[in-house]
Amino acid sequence: MSYQVLARKWRPRSFREMVGQTHVLKALINALDNQRLHHAYLFTGTRGVGKTTIARIIAKCVNCETGITSTPCGTCSVCREIDEGRFVDLIEIDAASRTKVEDTRELLDNVQYAPSRGRFKVYLIDEVHMLSSHSFNALLKTLEEPPPYVKFILATTDPQKLPATILSRCLQFSLKNMTPERVVEHLTHVLGVENVPFEDDALWLLGRAADGSMRDAMSLTDQAIAFGEGKVLAADVRAMLGTLDHGQVYGVLQALLEGDARALLEAVRHLAEQGPDWNGVLSEMLNVLHRVAIAQALPEAVDNGQGDRDKVLALAQALPAEDVQFYYQMGLIGRRDLPLAPDPRGGFEMVLLRMLAFRPADSGDAPGTTLKPVGISQATTDSPAPVAPVAVAAPVAEPVAAPAPAPAPAPVVEAAPALAPEPEPEPVPEPEPVVEAAPEPEPEPEPEPVEEVIDLPWEDPAPAPVAAPQPQPAPAPVAAQPVAPREEPPLDDQGYSPAGMDRDDEPPPDDDYYPSDLDPAGFSYLDELATEHAAELSDEPAPEPEPEPAAQPATGLALQWLEMYPHLPISGMTGSIAANCTLIAADGDNWLLHLDPNHSALFNATQQRRLNDALNQHLGRTLNLSIELIRPEQETPAQAAARKRANRQREAEESIGNDPFIQQMIQKFGASVRHDTIEPVDAVVTQGG
């Protein structure tokens, strides 16, 4: 007898042999036991989760010689023929190969005939989403009201492609993917019955590789048995699937934990010898980091499916939680950027080096271990060490020795040789006595020169050092030294505050601030243009100032334009132009508008063309529109809208002022009405309406 693969040999023949899908089986079993059978069923789900298997079991349940039951006998001729795939009243149709409407019509021509052997004629249409739209239309009526002896069972992996008319005529059941735990449990049972030696780690590898499909898991198990010469071993399964050894992943994470760049690159070199998929290596690292994060949150929730529970718990104790989250996020970003790297291995190394380089340091929550000397961060920490500002101070100290008669420079000469031989940050506090000796208190008690120079800082920053050397010319060379910028107390002498005014509680003034002598009102026109341009881009009318009232009320053509404007299909800048126009002449198809020159900045040939098109569309004929920049004498739509808003505002203020309760509050409590807070209830008034 020929060999039968595990996926077919272990196909369930009854509901009690099904693995998973309890939410579907419960509904079907109750319906069969209570004789509440629907005429059409739709099973959806990914490949290998049991759609066709459940359909065949239903066919046995409704046609078993013992009667309609959820537990078919499996021994009668009907059950055996269905298991062997030769039952005449079970018509299995592959919709992927019979997509034409002619095939569907041929199928429907046979629906009218009664079943030959069984109680029901069952039509099993697999991959039903492959049917054409005409085939679906031909199937609709029969699927809605089939003969009482016909049952339709549809199966698909892509229910989104089915028309809503098909979905509404079926009972839909969505089958779930198989979890790795359930797959491992079933494989353990199957291999135990088949007397095939196996390792638990190998089954977990197969369970994850199956990706939710039990049929794929059985097929991979068949392949693993052949690969391992009758045994299912973890090393063989890992070599067959091309997956990575978790021991190497832990080696990489250990090198990251220790901050050892040499060990990290050495681990990558060992990985490269196996020619792995670097994207898959990152995926394995993310899986381990995910389990480490779970172990830190809830240690008892970590499973030992891969035999590495102790390693996961050890990493959870050694790695801080923020490092785990950081490495996980960096790995996700690295997987996204890996296809952009010139070399996959180089991209993987850069992800690891990025994890190493951006490792938290100098914080209370940082890991206790430090980076090895070969690490990347060591180079960055060594770079600022040779920077020493003392080298600049040493040559400056030499000219200070020249004014020997003065007693103040004496400590400066002694400090210079002490600073020169030591390239350490210690000499930084030593120039402080020089700063205290250099500024003299003589300029401070003189308020008169301060008042004279109070306006000079905005014109020339030089008067400050000029005022200081007036009492004594000796400090002039000291002011040229780099020590002079530290003289913050004499800032008061530069005119930032008048004499006799205590400004100790105020922040120092900004030396870089220069008041502009430009008139801010000069920018109003630019602001208006910017607002109008933004309104044109957003297709909304720009906020404009209230137009001046018209000299005369609108009559004649101007009144017609006032009534026509709200119905024009325009907005934005075009609508603003039309709102500030009035109709002057309408000689047949030649119309003339006058536009307020104050809005000439909005007007151009494009806006005129848009307004002309809007008029053509509104009137249903072609006009020749002309616009002249002349102030309209009669009321424009914008002026009419402003007038109505003003009237409503006045009425609202009068209503508030005449309210008895408001008058009582004013008389008894001296209250006052703030007119700027009054707004009509329906204050939104469209222009011209």
Side-chain angles (χ1 to χ4, degrees):
M1 184 177 178
S2 61
Y3 174 74
Q4 192 175 20
V5 297
L6 295 178
R8 295 185 60 186
K9 182 179 180 181
W10 287 89
R11 180 190 289 268
R13 290 175 172 81
S14 63
F15 288 139
R16 64 174 178 272
E17 296 179 5
M18 288 287 298
V19 178
Q21 315 302 347
T22 55
H23 64 292
V24 175
L25 301 181
K26 181 178 180 181
L28 294 176
I29 291 173
N30 292 336
L32 289 167
D33 291 341
N34 297 323
Q35 305 295 313
R36 300 180 64 87
L37 301 179
H38 202 270
H39 61 270
Y41 296 89
L42 173 63
F43 297 106
T44 65
T46 187
R47 75 276 179 274
V49 293
K51 299 185 295 296
T52 307
T53 299
I54 293 179
R56 292 179 180 176
I57 295 176
I58 292 176
K60 286 199 299 184
C61 292
V62 298
N63 287 307
C64 182
E65 294 179 357
T66 60
I68 301 177
T69 176
S70 62
T71 56
C73 64
T75 58
C76 64
S77 59
V78 173
C79 293
R80 290 198 308 269
E81 290 177 6
I82 292 177
D83 291 336
E84 296 171 1
R86 55 185 181 87
F87 186 60
V88 67
D89 290 328
L90 175 59
I91 300 97
E92 297 191 17
I93 302 168
D94 182 16
S97 59
R98 303 186 65 180
T99 60
K100 298 181 180 180
V101 66
E102 292 80 5
D103 300 328
T104 305
R105 289 171 180 169
E106 181 183 353
L107 180 150
L108 298 177
D109 290 341
N110 297 325
V111 171
Q112 57 184 332
Y113 301 110
S116 302
R117 288 280 316 279
R119 195 175 293 108
F120 293 94
K121 183 184 288 188
V122 181
Y123 286 91
L124 172 56
I125 306 177
D126 201 6
E127 300 300 335
V128 68
H129 66 275
M130 298 296 290
L131 292 178
S132 64
S133 58
H134 297 292
S135 299
F136 280 125
N137 293 333
L139 188 63
L140 284 179
K141 189 59 179 177
T142 306
L143 187 64
E144 182 179 6
E145 297 178 357
Y149 49 79
V150 173
K151 301 295 181 186
F152 284 99
I153 302 179
L154 313 180
T156 179
T157 57
D158 197 356
Q160 288 78 12
K161 294 183 179 180
L162 295 182
T165 52
I166 295 292
L167 296 175
S168 64
R169 288 165 167 80
C170 302
L171 285 184
Q172 183 175 352
F173 296 94
S174 180
L175 278 66
K176 300 178 182 178
N177 288 0
M178 299 292 177
T179 61
E181 292 80 6
R182 192 175 296 278
V183 172
V184 170
E185 179 183 356
H186 185 62
L187 291 181
T188 302
H189 170 70
V190 170
L191 294 179
V193 176
E194 294 288 336
N195 294 322
V196 177
F198 63 90
E199 293 179 353
D200 291 338
D201 294 351
L203 299 187
W204 279 98
L205 290 173
L206 294 174
R208 286 193 300 273
D211 195 18
S213 172
M214 186 63 75
R215 183 176 60 226
D216 290 1
M218 302 294 284
S219 300
L220 289 173
T221 304
D222 257 329
Q223 184 179 355
I225 293 174
F227 188 88
E229 298 180 355
K231 299 179 181 180
V232 181
L233 304 179
D236 294 339
V237 173
R238 191 175 291 111
M240 179 189 74
L241 299 176
T243 55
L244 186 67
D245 185 5
H246 274 69
Q248 294 178 326
V249 175
Y250 287 110
V252 172
L253 293 177
Q254 187 65 28
L256 280 176
L257 175 63
E258 297 175 357
D260 191 350
R262 186 184 302 277
L264 191 65
L265 296 179
E266 188 68 17
V268 174
R269 187 181 66 81
H270 286 299
L271 285 172
E273 294 176 355
Q274 303 179 7
D277 176 20
W278 297 105
N279 192 13
V281 176
L282 270 178
S283 300
E284 291 295 332
M285 287 185 58
L286 294 177
N287 289 333
V288 174
L289 290 172
H290 168 244
R291 300 178 65 203
V292 170
I294 292 178
Q296 291 177 341
L298 192 63
E300 57 270 17
V302 180
D303 61 83
N304 195 27
Q306 302 177 13
D308 57 350
R309 187 174 187 273
D310 295 337
K311 294 181 180 179
V312 171
L313 294 177
L315 270 178
Q317 295 179 358
L319 275 175
E322 58 271 17
D323 282 15
V324 175
Q325 299 296 330
F326 171 75
Y327 292 155
Y328 189 86
Q329 186 66 24
M330 193 70 71
L332 287 179
I333 298 175
R335 288 194 65 191
R336 182 196 63 187
D337 298 342
L338 198 60
L340 304 178
D343 177 37
R345 175 181 174 180
F348 178 76
E349 289 178 346
M350 283 302 299
V351 174
L352 298 182
L353 294 177
R354 194 178 303 126
M355 293 179 180
L356 188 63
F358 291 95
R359 193 162 179 265
D362 298 334
S363 63
D365 298 334
T369 58
T370 57
L371 297 177
K372 295 293 183 66
V374 192
I376 301 302
S377 299
Q378 187 68 22
T380 57
T381 54
D382 293 341
S383 58
V387 179
V390 184
V392 181
V396 176
E398 296 178 2
V400 180
V412 180
V413 179
E414 297 175 359
L419 297 174
E422 298 181 4
E424 299 293 334
E426 300 176 0
V428 176
E430 294 187 10
E432 294 181 359
V434 180
V435 178
E436 297 175 359
E440 297 184 0
E442 297 181 358
E444 297 181 358
E446 297 181 0
E448 298 179 357
V450 174
E451 297 178 357
E452 297 176 358
V453 192
I454 189 170
D455 295 332
L456 293 179
W458 286 273
E459 301 176 1
D460 188 4
V466 174
Q470 286 180 0
Q472 183 179 358
V478 179
Q481 298 179 2
V483 183
R486 298 186 181 182
E487 299 181 2
E488 297 178 0
L491 288 176
D492 295 338
D493 298 337
Q494 299 179 3
Y496 293 112
S497 60
M501 185 175 184
D502 187 10
R503 300 179 62 89
D504 294 340
D505 56 344
E506 298 184 7
D510 190 358
D511 293 341
D512 296 334
Y513 172 73
Y514 294 91
S516 175
D517 53 355
L518 298 177
D519 185 8
F523 293 98
S524 60
Y525 175 69
L526 298 178
D527 296 338
E528 180 181 357
L529 287 182
T531 304
E532 293 164 352
H533 181 61
E536 180 182 8
L537 295 179
S538 61
D539 200 22
E540 295 181 0
E544 298 181 0
E546 290 292 337
E548 299 179 0
Q552 301 176 8
T555 58
L557 294 177
L559 183 58
Q560 294 181 13
W561 178 256
L562 211 62
E563 297 173 352
M564 183 189 307
Y565 169 76
H567 305 288
L568 295 179
I570 53 177
S571 62
M573 294 179 63
T574 308
S576 179
I577 291 173
N580 291 277
C581 288
T582 185
L583 183 60
I584 300 300
D587 185 8
D589 292 339
N590 297 322
W591 284 27
L592 175 63
L593 297 178
H594 280 182
L595 173 63
D596 190 349
N598 294 332
H599 298 270
S600 61
L602 305 178
F603 178 67
N604 52 39
T606 302
Q607 302 302 332
Q608 180 175 346
R609 177 179 52 81
R610 292 179 180 176
L611 182 55
N612 199 348
D613 294 342
L615 286 172
N616 295 342
Q617 179 180 352
H618 176 68
L619 299 176
R621 56 194 178 100
T622 303
L623 300 178
N624 184 16
L625 181 65
S626 300
I627 299 179
E628 297 180 357
L629 296 177
I630 300 176
R631 180 180 179 83
E633 296 181 357
Q634 299 189 26
E635 194 174 46
T636 64
Q639 293 171 338
R643 174 176 52 80
K644 292 182 179 181
R645 284 195 297 269
N647 293 339
R648 292 196 57 80
Q649 181 68 26
R650 184 175 61 256
E651 292 174 359
E653 294 177 359
E654 292 177 356
S655 176
I656 292 295
N658 297 331
D659 186 88
F661 178 75
I662 299 297
Q663 294 178 355
Q664 185 179 5
M665 294 286 292
I666 295 175
Q667 295 174 1
K668 290 187 176 181
F669 301 101
S672 61
V673 178
R674 293 185 55 184
H675 295 282
D676 57 340
T677 61
I678 300 175
E679 183 177 357
V681 176
D682 51 348
V684 179
V685 180
T686 58
Q687 292 183 346

